[in-house]
C-alpha cells in the first residue's frame, strides 16, 4: 500500500524519502538537478538562471534556492557596453561658451559678449565656419588664427575692431568668406590679407576707412564680391583694384566722393569693370557743389574740377592742379602713374613748359587742355552747339537753293527743246521765198 502511494507521488512530481510506512515525511526543497532540468525546459527560466534578471529578483519557483553566481552576467554586460560604445559617435571638443553643430563644421560664438577670443585650439577638427559676430572684440593678436587652415567662413561683424595686425589671416588659405562689417577700422596694413588667395567675398562696409592702400588686394585674384559701403572714402587709386581680375560685384555707396581729377583713373577702371559684365552701385558725388548728387559714371571727364591749373596757380608747369588739403600735385615729380610706379621724367619736353616743368612726367606735359570750371565747360558746349546749328541751317539753305536752281534749269531746257522745231520751219519758208524771187528775176 505504501509502495503504491510512493509511485503515485512520483507521477504527481512529488518526492518522498523512505521512512516508516504510513507516515508522511516532512516537505523538503527539490534537489539541485530538479530546477536545472526545469530551466532547460523553459526559455524564460533559462534567461533568469543565466543572470540577466536583476540579482534581487528570483523566479517564483526558486524562492528557496540560492541566487546564481555573477560569472555569467559580467561578460554579457561588458559585451553590451562595447556594442553601445561602437555605435555612439566619437565625442568632439567645443570651445566654451560656443555652440558647435553635430558634425562639428559650424562653430557659433556670436552674441556671447566676448571681449577676447575663445580657446580656438579646442575647435573640432575640420571646422568650416567660425562665427564671432555681435561681441565686444576690440583687438586681435597676430597669431589669433594660426593653424586654422580648414576654415572657409569667418564672421567678425558687429564688433569694436579698430586695428588688425599685418598677416593676421596668413594661415587661412582656404578662407572664402570674410566679414568685417560694422567695426571701427580706420586704416588697413598692406599685408593684412596676405595668404587669402581663395577669398571670394569680402565685406568692409560700415567702418571708418578713408583710403584703400595700394597692394592691399594684390593676392585677392579670386575675389568676386567686395563691399566698401558706409566708409569715409573720397577717392580711390586705380592701382589698388587692378589685381581684382575676377571681381563681379562692387559696392561703393554712402561715401563722401570728391569727383575731381584724382578720381578720374578709378572712373575709367569702373567703366572697364562694367564693360566686362560687372556691377557697381551708384557712386554719388559730394564735391564739387556743381556735381553734388550726380553719379560719377555719368559725369564727363572734361567736367572734373581741378584737373589742370595754370602755372601761376599750382606752381608746377604743365601739371595737374592741387586738390584742397592735399600735399602734392598728381603731376609732381613724386606722383604715381596709374600702374602704381613712379612716373619717369621726360627731359626732351622740358623746353615746352619753360624751366619749371622740367621734372614733370611726359603724361602731364602732353595732356590736352581741360576746362577749369563747369560753367566754362557748359559755355563751350553751348557755343559749339550754336555754331553747329548755324552751319546746319546754312547747309540746309544751300541744299534748298541747289534743288530750286536745278528744277528751274530743267524747266528751261524743256522749253528750249519745244521751241527748236518751230524755229526750224520758219527758216525753210524763208529759203523758198528767196528761190522764188530769183526765178522770177531770171
Amino acid at each position: 500500500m505504501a509502495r503504491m502511494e510512493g509511485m503515485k507521488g512520483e507521477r504527481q512530481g512529488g518526492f518522498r524519502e523512505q521512512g516508516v510506512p504510513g507516515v508522511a515525511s516532512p516537505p523538503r526543497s527539490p534537489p539541485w538537478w530538479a530546477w536545472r532540468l526545469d530551466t532547460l525546459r523553459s526559455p524564460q527560466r533559462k534567461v533568469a538562471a543565466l543572470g540577466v534578471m536583476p540579482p534581487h529578483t528570483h523566479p517564483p519557483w526558486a524562492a528557496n534556492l540560492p541566487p546564481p553566481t555573477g560569472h555569467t552576467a559580467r561578460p554579457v554586460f561588458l559585451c553590451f557596453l562595447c556594442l553601445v560604445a561602437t555605435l555612439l559617435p566619437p565625442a568632439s571638443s567645443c570651445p566654451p561658451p560656443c555652440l558647435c553643430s553635430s558634425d562639428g563644421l559650424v562653430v557659433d560664438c556670436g552674441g556671447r559678449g566676448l571681449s577676447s577670443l575663445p580657446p580656438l585650439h579646442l575647435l573640432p577638427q575640420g571646422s568650416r565656419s567660425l562665427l564671432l559676430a555681435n561681441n565686444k572684440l576690440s583687438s586681435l593678436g597676430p597669431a589669433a588664427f594660426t593653424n586654422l587652415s580648414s576654415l572657409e567662413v569667418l564672421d567678425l561683424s558687429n564688433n569694436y575692431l579698430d586695428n588688425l595686425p599685418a598677416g593676421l589671416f596668413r594661415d587661412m588659405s582656404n578662407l572664402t568668406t570674410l566679414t568685417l562689417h560694422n567695426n571701427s577700422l580706420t586704416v588697413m596694413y598692406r599685408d593684412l590679407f596676405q595668404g587669402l588667395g581663395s577669398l571670394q567675398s569680402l565685406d568692409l562696409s560700415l567702418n571708418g576707412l578713408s583710403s584703400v592702400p595700394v597692394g592691399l588686394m594684390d593676392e585677392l585674384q579670386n575675389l568676386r564680391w567686395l563691399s566698401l559701403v558706409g566708409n569715409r572714402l573720397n577717392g580711390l587709386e586705380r592701382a589698388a583694384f587692378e589685381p581684382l581680375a575676377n571681381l563681379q560685384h562692387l559696392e561703393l555707396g554712402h561715401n563722401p566722393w570728391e569727383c575731381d581729377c584724382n578720381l578720374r583713373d578709378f572712373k575709367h577702371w569702373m567703366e572697364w569693370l562694367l564693360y566686362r559684365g560687372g556691377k557697381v552701385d551708384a557712386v554719388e558725388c559730394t564735391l564739387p557743389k556743381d556735381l553734388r548728387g550726380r553719379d560719377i559714371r555719368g559725369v564727363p571727364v572734361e567736367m572734373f574740377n581741378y584737373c589742370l591749373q595754370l602755372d601761376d596757380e599750382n606752381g608746377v608747369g604743365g601739371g595737374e592742379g592741387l586738390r584742397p588739403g592735399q600735399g602734392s600735385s598728381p603731376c609732381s615729380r613724386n606722383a604715381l602713374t596709374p600702374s602704381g610706379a613712379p612716373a619717369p621724367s621726360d627731359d626732351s619736353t622740358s623746353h615746352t613748359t619753360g624751366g619749371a616743368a622740367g621734372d614733370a612726367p611726359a603724361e602731364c606735359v602732353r595732356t590736352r587742355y581741360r576746362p577749369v570750371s563747369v560753367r566754362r565747360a557748359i559755355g563751350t558746349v553751348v557755343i559749339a552747339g550754336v555754331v553747329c546749328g548755324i552751319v546746319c541751317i546754312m547747309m540746309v539753305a544751300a541744299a534748298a537753293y541747289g534743288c530750286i536752281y536745278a528744277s528751274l534749269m530743267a524747266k528751261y531746257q524743256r522749253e528750249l527743246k519745244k521751241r527748236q522745231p518751230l524755229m526750224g520751219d520758219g527758216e525753210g519758208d524763208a529759203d523758198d521765198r528767196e528761190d522764188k524771187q530769183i526765178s522770177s528775176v531770171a
Side-chain angles (χ1 to χ4, degrees), residues 165-170 188-195 215-216 219:
L168 176 62
F169 311 103
R170 185 180 293 111
M188 292 183 294
Y189 294 103
R190 179 175 179 177
D191 299 331
L192 176 61
F193 299 135
Q194 184 180 3
L216 178 68
E219 298 188 19

Side-chain angles (χ1 to χ4, degrees), residues 71-122:
H71 297 288
T72 57
R74 291 174 183 175
V76 175
F77 182 70
L78 292 177
C79 292
F80 178 75
L81 290 180
C82 292
L83 180 61
V84 171
T86 54
L87 294 178
L88 290 176
S92 59
S93 59
C94 187
C98 306
L99 296 178
C100 300
S101 60
S102 58
D103 52 5
L105 298 180
V106 180
V107 180
D108 187 2
C109 304
R112 301 294 194 276
L114 301 176
S115 58
S116 60
L117 290 177
L120 298 182
H121 64 277
L122 297 178

Side-chain angles (χ1 to χ4, degrees), residues 218-268:
D218 285 354
E219 298 188 19
L220 306 182
Q221 292 87 359
N222 293 319
L223 192 68
R224 296 180 178 273
W225 189 89
L226 174 62
S227 177
L228 292 169
V229 175
N231 284 278
R232 298 177 182 176
L233 299 171
N234 50 32
L236 291 173
E237 293 286 342
R238 175 176 180 173
F241 292 83
E242 284 184 342
L244 305 179
N246 294 314
L247 189 66
Q248 297 294 329
H249 191 94
L250 179 61
E251 295 184 356
L252 298 172
H254 302 285
N255 281 284
W257 299 110
E258 296 184 12
C259 299
D260 55 11
C261 60
N262 295 281
L263 203 60
R264 177 186 56 187
D265 292 335
F266 183 73
K267 168 184 165 63
H268 293 164

Side-chain angles (χ1 to χ4, degrees), residues 344-354 357-362 365-366:
S345 61
D346 191 357
D347 296 334
S348 61
T349 59
S350 60
H351 64 279
T352 60
T353 57
D359 296 332
V365 173
R366 297 173 182 174

Side-chain angles (χ1 to χ4, degrees), residues 91-437:
S92 59
S93 59
C94 187
C98 306
L99 296 178
C100 300
S101 60
S102 58
D103 52 5
L105 298 180
V106 180
V107 180
D108 187 2
C109 304
R112 301 294 194 276
L114 301 176
S115 58
S116 60
L117 290 177
L120 298 182
H121 64 277
L122 297 178
L123 288 177
Q125 205 167 20
S127 298
R128 302 290 180 84
S129 299
L130 177 59
L131 309 179
L132 293 166
N134 303 314
N135 283 293
K136 300 179 181 179
L137 301 175
S138 58
S139 62
L140 297 175
F145 299 112
T146 55
N147 301 323
L148 296 178
S149 58
S150 63
L151 284 182
E152 297 180 359
V153 177
L154 178 60
D155 189 356
L156 292 167
S157 60
N158 300 323
N159 281 281
Y160 302 103
L161 299 173
D162 57 355
N163 189 11
L164 299 179
L168 176 62
F169 311 103
R170 185 180 293 111
D171 294 339
M172 309 180 75
S173 57
N174 293 320
L175 195 68
T176 59
T177 302
L178 176 60
T179 304
L180 294 169
H181 165 82
N182 195 18
N183 279 277
S184 302
L185 299 175
T186 56
V187 64
M188 292 183 294
Y189 294 103
R190 179 175 179 177
D191 299 331
L192 176 61
F193 299 135
Q194 184 180 3
L196 297 181
S198 301
L199 194 67
Q200 298 181 7
S201 176
L202 177 60
D203 190 352
L204 295 171
S205 59
L206 295 182
N207 283 279
L209 300 174
S210 58
S211 63
V212 176
V214 177
L216 178 68
M217 304 181 186
D218 285 354
E219 298 188 19
L220 306 182
Q221 292 87 359
N222 293 319
L223 192 68
R224 296 180 178 273
W225 189 89
L226 174 62
S227 177
L228 292 169
V229 175
N231 284 278
R232 298 177 182 176
L233 299 171
N234 50 32
L236 291 173
E237 293 286 342
R238 175 176 180 173
F241 292 83
E242 284 184 342
L244 305 179
N246 294 314
L247 189 66
Q248 297 294 329
H249 191 94
L250 179 61
E251 295 184 356
L252 298 172
H254 302 285
N255 281 284
W257 299 110
E258 296 184 12
C259 299
D260 55 11
C261 60
N262 295 281
L263 203 60
R264 177 186 56 187
D265 292 335
F266 183 73
K267 168 184 165 63
H268 293 164
W269 180 84
M270 283 195 303
E271 293 174 352
W272 171 79
L273 177 63
L274 295 172
Y275 174 77
R276 64 183 179 88
K279 295 181 179 180
V280 182
D281 62 345
V283 182
E284 295 184 357
C285 301
T286 303
L287 292 176
K289 295 181 179 179
D290 297 331
L291 299 178
R292 182 173 296 174
R294 292 188 59 180
D295 191 348
I296 188 176
R297 295 173 297 180
V299 177
V301 178
E302 289 79 9
M303 297 182 68
F304 281 8
N305 287 343
Y306 308 107
C307 284
L308 287 176
Q309 298 288 353
L310 299 177
D311 297 346
D312 56 353
E313 293 180 359
N314 56 22
V316 180
E320 295 188 3
L322 286 175
R323 216 175 90 190
Q326 198 170 12
S328 62
S329 171
C331 286
S332 63
R333 186 173 184 178
N334 297 326
L336 295 179
T337 61
S339 60
S345 61
D346 191 357
D347 296 334
S348 61
T349 59
S350 60
H351 64 279
T352 60
T353 57
D359 296 332
E363 181 184 356
C364 297
V365 173
R366 297 173 182 174
T367 304
R368 64 188 179 88
Y369 172 77
R370 290 182 174 84
V372 176
S373 65
V374 177
R375 292 182 180 179
R376 188 177 300 178
I378 295 175
T380 304
V381 172
V382 171
I383 294 173
V386 171
V387 173
C388 291
I390 295 174
V391 171
C392 291
I393 293 173
M394 294 177 63
M395 292 178 64
V396 171
Y401 175 77
C403 292
I404 295 173
Y405 179 78
S407 63
L408 292 176
M409 290 299 297
K411 184 177 181 181
Y412 174 75
Q413 291 293 334
R414 287 195 299 269
E415 293 293 336
L416 186 62
K417 287 181 180 180
K418 291 179 180 180
R419 292 178 182 181
Q420 283 180 355
L422 298 176
M423 293 175 63
D425 295 341
E427 292 178 355
D429 295 341
D431 293 340
D432 293 340
R433 290 174 184 173
E434 289 179 358
D435 292 340
K436 289 180 180 180
Q437 290 177 0

